[in-house]
Amino acid sequence: MKNRLLQKLAWALLLGVLLVLPHLLPNNYYRGVVNLSLIYAIVAMGLNFIYGYTGYISFAQAGFFGVGAYTSALLVVDAHWGFWSALPIAGLAAAACGVAIGIPALKLSSHYLAMATIGFGIIIQMVMQNWERLTHGASGVHDIPSITIGTYNVDSAVGQYYFLLGFLALAMFVTWAIDNSKLGRSFKAVREDEIAASSAGIDLTFTKVFSFALSAFFGGVGGSLYAHTSSYISPDTFSFDQSIVLFTMVLVGGAGTVCGPVIGAIGLTLAPELLRFLKEYYMALVGVGIVLIMIYMPQGVVHLFSQDGRVGRWLQSVKQRSTR
Amino acid sequence: MKNRVNMMVVLFSLVISFLAAGCRSGSDTSGPIRIGQTVALTGERTSIGEYLAAGAKMAVDEINAAGGIKGRKVELIQEDSDDTNPAMVNAYNKVLSAKPVAILCNDVSTQNLAIAAIANKEKMPTFVGGTSPVLLQGNDWFFRFRPSDVLAAQASARFAVQTLGKKKVAIAHLTDDFGMAGRNFLTKYVTDFGGTVVSDESYNRLDRDFTAQLENIRKSGAEVIINWADTYTAATMMRQNKQLGINLPLIGSAAHGTPTTSKLAGEAAYGVYVVMDGVVAQVKDPKAEEWVKRFKQRYNKEPEFNATAAYDAIFLIKQAIENANGATDNESIKKGIFAIRGYSGIANIFKYENNGEGPRQVVIAQIQANGPIVKEAVKTE
Amino acid sequence: MLQLLINGLAMGAIYALVALGIVVIANAVNVVNFAQGENLMLGAFVAATLTLTFKLPILAAYVISVIVLAFYGYVFQRLAYYPLRQKPFITIIISTIGVSMFLKNIARIIWGAQPLYFSGLFGEKSIMIGRFAVNPQHLLILGITGVLFLFQHYFFNRTYLGRKMQATAQDQEAAALMGIKVSRMIAFTFIYSSMLAALAGVLLAPVFYVSADMGGMLGLKAFAASIIGGFGSVPGAILGGLFLGIVEILCAAYVSSLYKDAFAFIVLILVLALLPRGLFGEKISTKV
């Protein structure tokens, strides 16, 4: 009884904090970092589909992120579309790139796939940088208008927070729905054993390609949100290094779970800011941190707290001792 | 379910520690004057960032030793902008939260643009180290402390075509924002001054072999190369120009003349022309020479133009506040900056008048064994 | 055209040298060491310090650097690989990425952010053959890569230690059953790979300049080269590297220098799509 009451209280507290967070934060610096982590969370959730659920390594997520950002920004700035029409197209454009990678990837595995996705990501970035007539080239796209809902302009950090939180909630809901659906089970089946999955009647081609497309779609949507909340994008943001960070977010948070990528994204966006006092040492420490995390909690934070993770089991033992 | 609770505890603690990680009180009119600086202290551009940081710190310390600005001490708040747009935005916002009177930004134009919207919204006087011509378009709170690339391109083009008399010009450049914009202006000015661009070759920052580019340049019959590069690519171009036996006269962007590039290029740099903000080491200006001595004494290394520029920028802010009779609100500072009509910095002359185009001079120097020697100084009004 | 081929071949030899180090580890433990570029960078910095600060002759700096990196290779494997040896390879790969992040930043702190330069073994002047310039350092790189190819063939096929290492690479369990100390062989593999990295780093120093970022893209392209050549195969790594170097420079000269970096990856993707075994894939990596 007490347990469940405690749980309900905890949930209510969490919800409450989430709803008033921007007002609790002292200034736009904090709000800006939180908003950035929400965007990365959406993009990381996309990566979670292809890696966490389907089991394929993709280092192209920053490329999809970028395709979404550029598609949305260019449609609005150059073609004068509205944000709400541009957003789905941004997602679809990224998804199309996902399909473009997914199809040749069908016969590749592990090292080869990883390398191919790295290559794709780099090529996408070079196109963004060099196809000046379309993308404005290396100078980037500036003065991207903010999002409008009716007459309300989402251009303040507070407004953006609620907007992004809403999208994140939507993304989490979709992920949770897929997780419990036949599609989700197909993804996981492919991850566990392709041959068995295929014998069970799963269309491998469709599942794999769709998984890439779905990952890319989320990345593209995240990109569009990024473009319209930052008002400026340039190609150097969507680099292989960024793909590594996104991948690490999924891994550290917990691949294959709904909350994992979110936790990873928030953690890895907040961490460099928290560690600013370390000045030049902080990136070196992040590197060490990654090694330690791989050694001690390779399945991510979420797993750590679950039934058979270290913290989960420790808590179980504490609970048992206290009820003796 | 308990695991969810514990996760939330973890999240909470993250958020709490985040909040606790430094909250600065607002400024008042008698406390220290805060100036912010966002600069690369980590990441690939640290080699430039450390000069920007050093120049600014030296300036602040000297101002404080002389009594501060209107009796108030100056406090320099430096935040790392790493090498990405999001990191730059975070750094800028963090500095903003300390309520400075002005902020110095690093030399990367794309990163400067990333914070343009914030600068405009907060009306924060921002001194940008980027040289892209696009920077001042629509950004009323941006002020340059390094000359626009338009100036550099124009001077180089004219030097190549008219002074050196070489009409067939090859343009080699980086593929980043700096290189591409530079190429556009160089093409325009070369043609304007009566030359022709016979070759247009590019390379990216990490490229260390320009055989393909130089062979194409050789084939095009070019008589001179104008090279828009950074430290590494400048050194590579200077070396391979000699190594491959091409030996064309070379006019390079500012990076060609820095002490670091000279170390990388060695003898290959001799004879190369550089378009620089101002020549710190060899200009016959006792003030500049003395500054170089002070810098070397303090930091134990040769200064480069980024250090001088950042130093000048701090003093420009001081001048602006003094022009405004000590007022430090943003409108007064802006007016104070516009009142700067001929400030002589260490390596450049600054005149703001009614927009952010402050630095007015570039020089063309030739690198010799004992350092760059000025050949031509180009001023705009 | 000939000039392009000469320099393309030299660049290719560089890719081959780095690729060798990657393939050796990949064969032994089925792990791609994403920190190989940074190992190279360390080797270069060590040599730079020896020549610039301690004024040692360049050849001595080369040799000492390789030896230092041998020790480092042991430490690296003990700290970053050994604790993870049972884990899935993606975990290990991310761990090596963490190491590369650490090394890059620690190098910047130790040696400062400014790049360093020291000349090649034979000085800086090119040898002119007619109107074609040959950089002696490039010749050195090509020569050493060739020697290494022969050496590796001899070492891995003819010496006892080499064959033990090969056996470990092919099947760890079987090797253990044969009485081979597997963990020791793995340690040797990492040591050898680090020595290769050091060699690449010191040879490259005058061409790439010594900086914390010198290794990143190089490591990636070398990995791509080894896949193009046929992943898991030593001749494949070398030939893939040479092939990539030449293709890259030709495309940059005749197609577009703007996309030079992309060509390596375009070729990679084409090869993966059309020839999944790579150009010379003789040994199919069954550990995939």
Side-chain angles (χ1 to χ4, degrees):
Chain A
M1 258 330 285
K2 220 165 57 165
N3 229 351
R4 262 187 284 161
L5 186 59
L6 213 63
Q7 270 176 43
K8 288 211 171 86
L9 273 176
W11 277 116
L13 190 59
L14 178 66
L15 206 60
V17 169
L18 280 178
L19 284 176
V20 296
L21 187 62
H23 301 290
L24 292 177
L25 298 171
N27 56 52
N28 277 350
Y29 160 65
Y30 294 100
R31 295 182 196 118
V33 177
V34 169
N35 290 350
L36 190 62
S37 65
L38 294 176
I39 293 176
Y40 283 143
I42 296 176
V43 181
M45 293 185 79
L47 185 54
N48 194 24
F49 287 118
I50 189 66
Y51 176 64
Y53 290 116
T54 317
Y56 284 117
I57 300 167
S58 165
F59 284 116
Q61 194 69 0
F64 301 137
F65 183 39
V67 167
Y70 264 93
T71 308
S72 189
L74 292 170
L75 281 175
V76 174
V77 171
D78 286 346
H80 307 294
W81 283 35
F83 166 76
W84 293 102
S85 345
L87 175 68
I89 305 293
L92 289 171
C97 292
V99 171
I101 299 186
I103 293 181
L106 286 172
K107 18 179 193 155
L108 300 175
S109 47
S110 59
H111 308 305
Y112 299 87
L113 181 61
M115 199 62 229
T117 58
I118 296 175
F120 256 102
I122 291 181
I123 293 174
I124 290 178
Q125 188 185 29
M126 296 203 78
V127 170
M128 281 183 218
Q129 186 180 49
N130 295 322
W131 195 356
E132 267 187 289
R133 287 194 56 213
L134 175 69
T135 65
H136 301 208
S139 326
V141 183
H142 56 97
D143 291 322
I144 305 173
S146 50
I147 302 160
T148 46
I149 310 178
T151 47
Y152 177 70
N153 214 352
V154 186
D155 64 345
S156 68
V158 177
Q160 286 173 357
Y161 169 81
Y162 290 114
F163 188 78
L164 292 170
L165 192 65
F167 260 89
L168 179 61
L170 184 61
M172 288 180 81
F173 175 72
V174 171
T175 308
W176 175 82
I178 292 180
D179 194 8
N180 291 319
S181 75
K182 186 166 145 202
L183 184 64
R185 287 195 292 273
S186 314
F187 287 156
K188 291 180 218 174
V190 170
R191 179 186 66 200
E192 296 305 322
D193 190 332
E194 270 188 44
I195 301 175
S198 167
S199 336
I202 293 176
D203 182 343
L204 281 181
T205 307
F206 170 77
T207 308
K208 290 191 205 178
V209 175
F210 189 72
S211 175
F212 257 113
L214 190 59
S215 295
F217 183 80
F218 268 65
V221 166
S224 168
L225 293 171
Y226 174 72
H228 294 274
T229 51
S230 314
S231 81
Y232 173 78
I233 55 173
S234 65
D236 39 302
T237 311
F238 310 110
S239 59
F240 171 52
D241 282 342
Q242 182 67 61
S243 287
I244 293 181
V245 172
L246 287 166
F247 197 91
T248 311
M249 286 175 179
V250 175
L251 217 52
V252 165
T257 65
V258 175
C259 300
V262 177
I263 305 234
I266 295 177
L268 276 158
T269 311
L270 256 55
E273 298 301 317
L274 281 171
L275 296 173
R276 267 185 188 272
F277 65 93
L278 291 172
K279 303 240 169 230
E280 322 84 84
Y281 291 87
Y282 93 81
M283 273 311 276
L285 263 113
V286 169
V288 172
I290 289 178
V291 178
L292 291 173
I293 289 176
M294 287 301 111
I295 296 177
Y296 292 108
M297 35 183 235
Q299 283 173 287
V301 171
V302 172
H303 177 84
L304 211 57
F305 285 95
S306 74
Q307 303 291 54
D308 33 60
R310 283 185 206 205
V311 179
R313 278 180 287 148
W314 176 76
L315 286 162
Q316 295 277 48
S317 70
V318 166
K319 190 172 79 173
Q320 281 173 354
R321 262 182 273 146
S322 69
T323 56
R324 241 175 242 148
Chain B
M1 265 296 133
K2 194 117 187 254
N3 46 357
R4 293 284 167 79
V5 174
N6 306 310
M7 273 199 315
M8 291 188 264
V9 170
V10 170
L11 256 176
F12 272 11
S13 18
L14 260 178
V15 173
I16 303 289
S17 42
F18 181 48
L19 291 180
C23 201
R24 289 200 173 83
S25 55
S27 69
D28 51 285
T29 49
S30 58
I33 294 180
R34 293 201 188 95
I35 300 179
Q37 187 181 30
T38 55
V39 73
L41 299 172
T42 58
E44 289 184 18
R45 294 200 216 246
T46 312
S47 53
I48 308 265
E50 42 178 43
Y51 282 112
L52 287 168
K57 194 86 185 57
M58 181 166 147
V60 166
D61 287 346
E62 285 181 4
I63 292 177
N64 282 337
I69 305 178
K70 294 275 186 198
R72 292 167 68 183
K73 289 271 177 225
V74 180
E75 195 186 317
L76 182 64
I77 300 170
Q78 291 172 322
E79 287 293 347
D80 179 23
S81 58
D82 197 355
D83 196 26
T84 65
N85 291 352
M88 176 66 168
V89 168
N90 287 340
Y92 191 83
N93 274 331
K94 180 137 206 237
V95 170
L96 257 182
S97 70
K99 299 207 194 333
V101 305
I103 302 181
L104 253 67
C105 280
N106 64 7
D107 62 316
V108 184
S109 298
T110 49
Q111 290 168 19
N112 295 159
L113 285 172
I115 49 99
I118 306 173
N120 288 340
K121 188 152 176 221
E122 303 287 329
K123 299 201 196 322
M124 171 57 60
T126 303
F127 278 80
V128 289
T131 51
S132 165
V134 170
L135 279 174
L136 296 183
Q137 288 172 11
N139 296 323
D140 298 329
W141 290 91
F142 272 5
F143 305 96
R144 290 191 192 278
F145 62 91
R146 288 204 51 229
S148 155
D149 269 341
V150 173
L151 207 53
Q154 195 177 27
S156 317
R158 214 222 346 247
F159 189 78
V161 177
Q162 292 181 352
T163 314
L164 290 181
K166 311 282 181 195
K167 300 267 186 278
K168 299 207 196 122
V169 179
I171 301 178
H173 59 97
L174 280 168
T175 52
D176 68 2
D177 167 59
F178 166 71
M180 299 300 266
R183 182 256 299 197
N184 292 341
F185 282 101
L186 284 168
T187 311
K188 168 175 149 53
Y189 286 118
V190 164
T191 332
D192 279 359
F193 287 122
T196 24
V197 177
V198 298
S199 174
D200 175 353
E201 292 293 324
S202 58
Y203 42 79
N204 72 70
R205 267 167 64 192
L206 299 173
D207 200 348
R208 298 283 177 263
D209 180 60
F210 298 157
T211 311
Q213 291 88 340
L214 281 166
E215 280 298 305
N216 286 350
I217 289 176
R218 182 213 295 270
K219 275 189 236 160
S220 72
E223 300 166 314
V224 66
I225 304 176
I226 305 184
N227 193 32
W228 236 234
D230 67 359
T231 309
Y232 301 92
T233 43
T236 309
M237 180 59 83
M238 292 194 278
R239 278 194 177 276
Q240 288 197 303
N241 183 25
K242 298 249 161 83
Q243 270 173 359
L244 294 171
I246 304 212
N247 287 316
L248 282 175
L250 187 59
I251 303 171
S253 55
H256 289 68
T258 63
T260 307
T261 311
S262 300
K263 278 208 208 92
L264 296 182
E267 288 179 7
Y270 299 162
V272 170
Y273 297 101
V274 191
V275 53
M276 307 173 84
D277 299 17
V279 180
V280 173
Q282 285 300 318
V283 68
K284 292 294 175 270
D285 175 354
K287 186 168 81 169
E289 285 179 4
E290 212 261 323
W291 186 88
V292 172
K293 273 207 211 84
R294 290 204 313 270
F295 188 92
K296 281 212 284 226
Q297 213 169 17
R298 185 183 164 124
Y299 292 113
N300 205 17
K301 59 183 175 197
E302 295 277 344
E304 62 147 27
F305 62 86
N306 281 301
T308 339
Y311 180 92
D312 279 344
I314 299 282
F315 273 90
L316 285 167
I317 296 173
K318 169 169 184 276
Q319 185 67 54
I321 296 177
E322 285 171 355
N323 287 351
N325 282 322
T328 52
D329 59 282
N330 29 29
E331 289 294 345
S332 304
I333 294 200
K334 190 173 182 183
K335 284 207 195 78
I337 297 174
F338 285 161
I340 297 177
R341 304 271 169 94
Y343 174 85
S344 230
I346 300 297
N348 212 326
I349 307 162
F350 298 87
K351 176 169 142 192
Y352 287 93
E353 208 144 30
N354 49 20
N355 59 33
E357 296 283 2
R360 296 284 161 171
Q361 177 187 270
V362 290
V363 300
I364 308 259
Q366 188 178 34
I367 302 176
Q368 310 286 357
N370 50 352
I373 310 282
V374 179
K375 291 285 176 194
E376 241 178 54
V378 182
K379 294 192 184 64
T380 58
E381 282 316 306
Chain C
M1 174 71 173
L2 188 57
Q3 184 71 69
L4 292 174
L5 285 176
I6 295 173
N7 282 54
L9 212 57
M11 199 62 220
I14 292 172
Y15 290 142
L17 204 49
V18 184
L20 263 179
I22 295 178
V23 164
V24 155
I25 290 192
N27 275 352
V29 294
N30 193 30
V31 156
V32 178
N33 181 10
F34 270 86
Q36 189 69 351
E38 276 64 44
N39 292 346
L40 181 163
M41 176 263 293
L42 269 185
F45 264 114
V46 168
T49 311
L50 292 169
T51 2
L52 295 173
T53 317
F54 297 110
K55 311 279 188 227
L56 290 176
I58 295 180
L59 190 56
Y62 282 11
V63 172
I64 298 178
S65 175
V66 171
I67 295 175
V68 170
L69 268 268
F71 283 105
Y72 159 81
Y74 178 75
V75 172
F76 171 74
Q77 127 349 94
R78 202 75 187 68
L79 292 178
Y81 169 76
Y82 195 70
L84 292 165
R85 67 196 180 289
Q86 315 283 20
K87 302 268 170 50
F89 72 88
I90 180 65
T91 311
I92 308 180
I93 288 178
I94 298 288
S95 169
T96 62
I97 290 181
V99 173
S100 92
M101 235 183 254
F102 170 72
L103 288 174
K104 245 196 275 201
N105 285 280
I106 227 49
R108 226 173 262 134
I109 294 173
I110 297 178
W111 283 284
Q114 304 301 325
L116 301 175
Y117 174 83
F118 62 96
S119 87
L121 197 54
F122 302 115
E124 301 176 0
K125 295 265 178 263
S126 290
I127 306 170
M128 299 300 295
I129 305 176
R131 84 162 178 90
F132 296 109
V134 179
N135 188 339
Q137 193 73 0
H138 286 168
L139 284 178
L140 185 62
I141 294 172
L142 273 164
I144 295 209
T145 309
V147 166
L148 265 175
F149 179 45
L150 294 170
F151 164 77
Q152 279 207 192
H153 183 81
Y154 172 75
F155 177 74
F156 282 110
N157 292 323
R158 302 286 170 85
T159 66
Y160 188 41
L161 179 60
R163 280 192 304 198
K164 280 201 286 188
M165 284 167 78
Q166 259 217 351
T168 316
Q170 282 178 5
D171 190 335
Q172 281 188 19
E173 268 188 50
L177 289 170
M178 305 283 269
I180 296 175
K181 292 205 180 65
V182 166
S183 58
R184 194 181 288 183
M185 292 305 117
I186 292 178
F188 280 142
T189 312
F190 272 89
I191 291 176
Y192 179 61
S193 171
S194 306
M195 292 170 78
L196 282 176
L199 198 53
V202 300
L203 289 173
L204 268 182
V207 180
F208 269 59
Y209 314 120
V210 184
S211 71
D213 318 298
M214 68 187 287
M217 183 54 95
L218 204 52
L220 270 186
K221 283 200 195 162
F223 183 32
S226 65
I227 292 184
I228 291 173
F231 196 63
S233 125
V234 166
I238 296 189
L239 293 167
L242 294 174
F243 177 72
L244 188 61
I246 295 179
V247 165
E248 215 182 32
I249 211 174
L250 290 178
C251 288
Y254 295 120
V255 179
S256 154
S257 52
L258 212 50
Y259 285 93
K260 180 170 175 183
D261 254 5
F263 291 121
F265 299 103
I266 292 176
V267 170
L268 170 73
I269 290 175
L270 283 174
V271 166
L272 281 176
L274 304 171
L275 298 161
R277 281 194 212 172
L279 290 175
F280 308 98
E282 39 194 82
K283 210 191 280 177
I284 305 168
S285 186
T286 49
K287 301 211 180 119
V288 177

